């Protein structure tokens, strides 16, 4: 029996036995909660992984398409460059041929360049002479002037 100083009646070791069972039940509930939390976290992680995988695959596909397009563009550009080089070489050959013809024709062309001053002076002299001749002929009196006859007609009579 319990001592008289205790307020409540003595029940023996019943509380201790309930305490261990309660602790085990509490541990069981904690373990179940941890399992549910772990399953929830695992599901969220799986969803994130699936989403990342899907986005990555789409990105890889898009990048593959972009690479293919860029490779085609590169091939086109390389062909254009090759064509441009060929065209440039052709035009350079044509230019060299024209320059060669000019070089061959140069001695004949130098006549005009070398003799330009003399030819210019001769031309000026010729223009001056023609101007003086025009002035002389303008003021001249011809036989039969006033009549409607030409100088050539008078010359035929005298011949």
């Amino acid at each position: 029996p319990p001592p008289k100083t205790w307020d409540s009646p003595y029940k023996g070791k019943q509380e201790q036995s309930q305490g261990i069972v309660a602790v085990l039940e509490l541990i069981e509930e904690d373990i179940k909660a941890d399992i549910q939390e772990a399953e929830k976290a695992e599901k969220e992680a799986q969803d994130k992984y699936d989403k990342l995988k899907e986005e990555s695959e789409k990105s890889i596909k898009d990048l593959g398409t972009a690479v293919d397009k860029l490779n085609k563009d590169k091939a086109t550009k390389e062909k254009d460059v090759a064509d441009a080089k060929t065209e440039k070489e052709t035009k350079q050959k044509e230019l060299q041929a024209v320059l060669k013809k000019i070089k061959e024709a140069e001695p004949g062309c130098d006549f005009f360049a070398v003799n330009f001053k003399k030819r210019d002076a001769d031309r000026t002299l010729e223009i001056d002479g023609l101007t003086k001749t025009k002035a002389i002929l303008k003021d001249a009196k011809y036989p039969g002037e006033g009549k409607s006859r030409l100088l050539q007609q008078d010359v035929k009579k005298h011949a």
Side-chain angles (χ1 to χ4, degrees):
K4 293 184 179 180
T5 56
W6 285 6
D7 294 334
S8 60
Y10 180 73
K11 296 184 180 175
K13 295 186 177 185
Q14 291 177 350
E15 289 181 14
Q16 285 183 346
S17 67
Q18 285 182 348
I20 290 186
V21 172
V23 168
L24 290 175
E25 287 176 351
L26 184 63
I27 291 174
E28 182 184 18
E29 289 174 10
D30 286 346
I31 290 175
K32 286 181 180 179
D34 286 345
I35 290 173
Q36 286 178 346
E37 189 176 315
E39 287 175 349
K40 181 180 174 187
E42 185 178 347
K43 185 178 183 294
E44 289 175 1
Q46 185 66 39
D47 290 344
K48 285 181 183 179
Y49 170 77
D50 291 342
K51 184 177 178 183
L52 177 65
K53 184 178 176 184
E54 182 180 315
E55 289 174 357
S56 297
E57 288 173 353
K58 183 180 183 288
S59 178
I60 289 170
K61 181 182 175 188
D62 292 345
L63 291 173
T65 304
V67 166
D68 289 344
K69 184 180 183 295
L70 290 174
N71 284 335
K72 287 178 184 176
D73 290 348
K74 179 184 172 190
T76 302
K77 300 284 187 200
E78 286 174 347
K79 183 181 179 292
D80 292 346
V81 167
D83 290 346
K85 283 181 181 179
T86 303
E87 185 177 344
K88 178 184 174 188
E89 290 172 2
T90 303
K91 289 192 180 210
Q92 283 180 333
K93 287 178 183 175
E94 291 174 2
L95 177 63
Q96 292 300 325
V98 169
L99 290 174
K100 184 178 177 185
K101 282 187 178 186
I102 290 173
K103 195 74 168 172
E104 290 170 357
E106 197 170 299
C109 292
D110 281 346
F111 171 80
F112 295 107
V114 170
N115 298 313
F116 178 76
K117 289 183 180 177
K118 182 179 182 315
R119 294 181 74 231
D120 187 43
D122 290 348
R123 177 76 176 155
T124 304
L125 187 63
E126 184 180 352
I127 290 172
D128 186 44
L130 288 172
T131 305
K132 288 179 182 175
T133 304
K134 183 179 172 184
I136 291 171
L137 290 175
K138 183 178 179 184
D139 292 335
K141 301 277 184 196
Y142 299 104
E145 195 173 320
K147 301 176 187 174
S148 63
R149 291 196 283 162
L150 297 173
L151 181 63
Q152 285 96 0
Q153 290 173 341
D154 262 354
V155 173
K156 283 184 185 177
K157 272 186 176 179
H158 295 295

